[in-house]
Every structure is written in C-alpha cells, then in structure tokens.
Amino acid sequence: MEFVESSRLELKEVVNGEFKKEIVAFANTDGGEIYVGVASDGSIIGVDYAEQEMERISNMIHDGIHPDLIPFTSIETIWVEEKALIHIMVSRGGRPPYHLADKGLKPSGVYIRHGVTSVPASEEAIREMIRESDGITYDKARSINQELTFQYATQYFDSRKVGFQKENMRTLGLIDKDDYYTNVAFLLSDQCEHSIKCALFEGTGKMLFKSRKEFTGSLLKQLEESFEYLSLQNNIRAGFVGLERVESFDYPMYAIREALLNTIVHRDYDYSGSSIINIFSNRIEFVSIGGLVKGLTLPDIINGVSQSRNMVLANIFYRLKLMESYGTGIQRIMESYVGIKKPQFLAEASSFVTILPNQHQEKLEKQSLGEDSPEEKVIRMFSLQREITRKEVEDVLGCSSFIARKILNSLLEQGVIASIGNTRTVRYCLKYPQ
C-alpha cells in the first residue's frame, strides 16, 4: 500500500497539536483522509497504543471543533506491514465553516485545504462559507466575531422594559440553535464595525464643510446619538396664526426619525461602508447602502409594500417600539409634509436615498429675493392710507376673508397694528405710525 500526500490525503507520524487543523481543513473543503503512523515520505512507522490514540482523536473532534463534526468523521485501525495505523475519514461537513473551538470564527480558527497543506481561511472566505451553508439573510447568519459584549444594548433594552437575558436573545434571534451569536447580535453589540457618518455643509453644495461626525458602536447607540445630532441641526422658527404663536421645525421631527430608522434597519450590511447623512441649508439626504430588496420597485414602497432586508433586526426594533408597523414609514414621511414641498426617494442599484426638504427654505429664499410676506404687504398698505379694512386686505392680497382675518389678528397680536371701531365697522391702523 503506497501513501502519497495530496489535497485529500494527509500523513501524520503522531497525533499532535496541529492535528485538529487538518480535520477542520478537510471538513471545510472537499473532505479527505488522515493516516496516523505514516511519515511524510510514505514510510510506515506504526502507532503504539492505537486504541488509546483513537479515543484521544475522538475527544479532540468532539470537544475541540465546532459545530459538531462527529457525524462527518469515522476512525478505524488498519494493519499495514504488521504495524497498526489509525485511519480517519473526514467528509465535507454540512455546516461550514468548522473551526477550532478555542479560536472561534476567524482566520486563526478556520482552515481550508490548499494543495497538500492546511491554511487559514480569509475573512471573506469565512463569510462566503457562512452564506452558502446557512442559506439565509445576513442578520440571521452566524457572526464571525463571537466575542461580543452588550453593555449599551442591555441598558437600552432595560429602559424599554424588554428582556435581554440569554433566553430572550435566543427568541429575538441574537443566538441561533447552535449557540452562535448571529449577525444581528453583532450589529447590536458594542463591537459593531458599521457606522453612520454625518456631514454638515455650508449652503446647498458640498464645497464647504461646517462639521463632521461619525457615530459608532451598537446600532442602538448610533440611532440615539445621530438622532440627537440631527435634532440640534433642526432649527425652530416662530410665527403667528391668529392670536397663537406657532413654532415649527425646519424638518418634521417624525420625518427625521423615520428616515433615520429606515436608513439603519433596511440597509445592506453585507457591505462594510458607512451609512451617510448629508445636511444642507435646504435639505437632508439619508444615504442607505444597498438598493431595494429584489422584486420591489420605488412605487411599491411608496404605496406601502413592505419587504425588509433584515427581518430579525426590524422585528427587534418593533419590539423596542422604535418602529410602529411595517410598510408605513415612507407614507408617514410623506404625510408629515402635507401642503408643502414633498420629500424625494431615489433608488439606485446599490443605494437608497431619502431627501427631506427644509420646510422654511422656500420662504427664506423668497425673502432674500425681496418678495414680501403677506404681513409685510398689509403693512405697506398704510403708506397709502391711514386706516384699512379687512375687505381691502382681501382685495390687495387676493385672499379669502378667513386668511385676511388671520393675517390681521397676527399683526394685532404682535402689537404692530391696532383696531378702531366695533365688530361690524372695524378698521385698522398702525399702532405706532412713523
């Protein structure tokens, strides 16, 4: 019987510390055989105490390699030249990547067969093995990083009165049936490598930066901190409607919240790039990596059709009461802009962009161009006559009696004008004429 090492045959004189790597490599590649008691040149050495060594190898496979590889291996003793050899058969496992239990799902623990040697797998190769064997979406797949901590997430779940013990994590999909952390656990962990980058620009273009911020850590931490930052950039402007002083933001807070949530929950985390938020004087752009989920069109999602790319993550955000219901986010963004310039949504091959317009920008631009507001037009009427009536305001502005009354009441409340006479014959004059 001739022994020659190949991509599917490994020869070992003795069982040593490197032995598990060979088994892992065969299980992750195309399977193979290992003969113990044979030198690399093919000469027969034999194994003393073969039964003891077989038990040692079995324990190595059971305790030192994950996931369970016992069903894909067999161990037997054969006799060649009157010497005992141990023959190990390794089939390609059903759930690669297999790894050394003490090293985890990283190159130092995952090996593949390359020629006659076993070499560490790259991180990309490990991800590809996970995708192929799990056959599921990113957030359900095993995380490469299994050394995760959840300091921020634990506090956040506790503040929302949602359980975050191990059994809860399993129910929520953070831990799979084999006790591996999933990618959604990685996203919520303190070790999350994805980030949100915010840039504040001067004016409407990207020529001049005013400030930049990057938010890292757990997605829950990124959500809270980026929302706080956006809130600080969301200016409040005041005006009067009748006697009531009304304050409004440049951007509806609901629209900012929903656009931010969509950017975080629905992006494609198979890409390593950051989510981008660009803030201009006239708009905010939310750039989420990854286009629409296959089969959906832009009209579909505007009409409320929902198919989340990350269903586990979306369900967790729903449990945390961060999302109200599936498929309503974009519709609610649109509704928050009723009566004014509408948001825009751009779907590209590898990105989805939500553009929120500044509610006050159009008015500010008109003022900068010298176009008077209705109140200013009413005040200018006093340069032609000392007193005016509501009917005259209607005629000059071309508006209804209701609108004319609101404008006049606003000027009265501000102390700019005063009323003369009773209700039926009321007239108006400047309170402090020049």
Side-chain angles (χ1 to χ4, degrees):
M1 188 173 183
E2 187 177 357
F3 297 97
V4 179
E5 286 191 333
S6 68
S7 62
R8 300 194 63 184
L9 179 64
E10 179 75 20
L11 304 177
K12 291 285 186 184
E13 293 186 22
V14 295
V15 176
N16 55 28
E18 301 293 299
F19 194 78
K20 289 182 291 185
K21 294 195 321 189
E22 315 298 347
I23 297 174
V24 166
F26 281 135
N28 284 331
T29 315
D30 297 316
E33 304 172 77
I34 303 173
Y35 285 93
V36 181
V38 183
S40 58
D41 62 2
S43 58
I44 307 300
I45 296 173
V47 178
D48 297 327
Y49 311 107
E51 188 174 336
Q52 244 179 284
E53 289 296 274
M54 287 173 64
E55 185 177 349
R56 181 183 170 202
I57 293 168
S58 180
N59 289 336
M60 278 185 175
I61 296 172
H62 183 270
D63 300 329
I65 299 174
H66 288 167
D68 183 15
L69 197 52
I70 291 293
F72 300 95
T73 57
S74 64
I75 308 171
E76 63 178 348
T77 301
I78 64 171
W79 292 85
V80 178
E81 299 177 3
E82 299 184 350
K83 293 180 181 178
L85 305 181
I86 299 175
H87 177 219
I88 302 100
M89 285 285 296
V90 183
S91 301
R92 177 174 169 83
R95 288 209 67 202
Y98 291 89
H99 62 90
L100 303 180
D102 59 344
K103 297 294 184 180
L105 283 167
K106 45 193 176 184
S108 61
V110 180
Y111 291 83
I112 56 175
R113 196 71 176 172
H114 184 72
V116 296
T117 59
S118 298
V119 297
S122 67
E123 287 196 358
E124 183 52 42
I126 295 171
R127 290 191 186 95
E128 188 59 32
M129 281 189 269
I130 290 173
R131 279 193 289 265
E132 289 180 1
S133 66
D134 289 0
I136 51 180
T137 57
Y138 172 88
D139 57 351
K140 293 181 181 178
R142 286 166 284 171
S143 170
I144 290 180
N145 188 346
Q146 291 292 313
E147 298 173 4
L148 304 179
T149 60
F150 300 92
Q151 183 175 347
Y152 191 91
T154 299
Q155 295 172 355
Y156 197 91
F157 273 72
D158 185 59
S159 70
R160 299 272 172 158
K161 294 181 169 45
V162 178
F164 201 62
Q165 302 303 315
K166 188 169 184 178
E167 59 271 20
N168 305 120
M169 296 174 77
R170 196 183 304 280
T171 301
L172 291 169
L174 279 75
I175 299 175
D176 70 8
K177 63 181 181 180
D178 296 315
D179 277 341
Y180 285 97
Y181 285 125
T182 62
N183 279 329
V184 79
F186 171 66
L187 295 176
L188 298 184
S189 74
D190 305 315
Q191 287 71 38
C192 178
E193 295 175 356
H194 301 279
S195 68
I196 298 174
K197 291 182 178 179
C198 291
L200 178 62
F201 296 94
E202 184 78 46
T204 60
K206 294 184 177 180
M207 292 294 292
L208 296 174
F209 278 104
K210 292 177 73 175
S211 68
R212 304 184 192 187
K213 294 281 285 186
E214 182 172 10
F215 303 100
T216 59
S218 168
L219 287 190
L220 297 170
K221 179 172 177 283
Q222 294 181 40
L223 171 67
E224 291 295 319
E225 292 181 352
S226 58
F227 183 73
E228 181 180 357
Y229 179 76
L230 290 169
S231 299
L232 291 174
Q233 309 306 323
N234 194 10
N235 298 315
I236 300 177
R237 304 184 192 276
F240 288 89
V241 176
L243 298 176
E244 184 179 358
R245 186 177 188 271
V246 177
E247 293 183 344
S248 62
F249 291 97
D250 284 348
Y251 304 92
M253 292 303 294
Y254 183 89
I256 286 181
R257 177 182 177 276
E258 201 64 32
L260 179 60
L261 280 167
N262 285 347
T263 299
I264 291 173
V265 173
H266 300 307
R267 68 154 282 176
D268 190 342
Y269 287 101
D270 271 324
Y271 293 94
S272 60
S274 301
S275 299
I276 303 295
I277 301 174
N278 295 322
I279 307 169
F280 304 92
S281 63
N282 66 339
R283 69 194 187 281
I284 300 178
E285 296 176 350
F286 295 81
V287 183
S288 180
I289 296 179
L292 296 178
V293 174
K294 187 176 181 180
L296 288 186
T297 65
L298 190 54
D300 287 335
I301 63 169
I302 290 176
N303 291 329
V305 177
S306 176
Q307 177 57 54
S308 177
R309 176 178 280 111
N310 305 301
M311 285 300 297
V312 180
L313 183 62
N315 181 60
I316 290 171
F317 273 53
Y318 178 76
R319 291 282 300 275
L320 291 169
K321 298 181 180 179
L322 294 169
M323 299 174 67
E324 295 180 8
S325 58
Y326 299 129
T328 61
I330 286 182
Q331 290 179 316
R332 289 173 180 266
I333 291 174
M334 299 290 283
E335 288 171 4
S336 69
Y337 274 84
V338 167
I340 51 181
K341 190 175 181 181
K342 298 289 186 182
Q344 291 179 274
F345 305 95
L346 307 176
E348 303 296 342
S350 57
S351 66
F352 185 84
V353 184
T354 299
I355 303 175
L356 302 182
N358 185 327
Q359 297 183 103
H360 302 114
Q361 188 63 26
E362 188 175 352
K363 180 178 178 181
L364 292 172
E365 288 174 354
K366 286 181 179 180
Q367 290 176 349
S368 68
L369 292 172
E371 185 172 328
D372 293 334
S373 67
E375 288 85 355
E376 290 170 329
K377 289 180 180 178
V378 170
I379 293 171
R380 199 164 62 241
M381 291 173 67
F382 291 106
S383 65
L384 302 175
Q385 56 197 83
R386 287 179 58 84
E387 299 175 0
I388 62 174
T389 65
R390 175 177 55 78
K391 184 64 172 65
E392 289 172 329
V393 171
E394 293 175 32
D395 294 339
V396 170
L397 299 184
C399 65
S400 66
S401 60
F402 175 75
I403 296 297
R405 191 178 297 112
K406 279 185 24 175
I407 294 169
L408 289 166
N409 285 338
S410 174
L411 292 171
L412 283 167
E413 178 65 21
Q414 295 177 63
V416 176
I417 63 174
S419 60
I420 305 169
N422 57 36
T423 304
R424 292 194 173 189
T425 61
V426 66
R427 302 179 307 283
Y428 302 92
C429 66
L430 287 175
K431 194 167 185 179
Y432 302 105
Q434 295 180 346

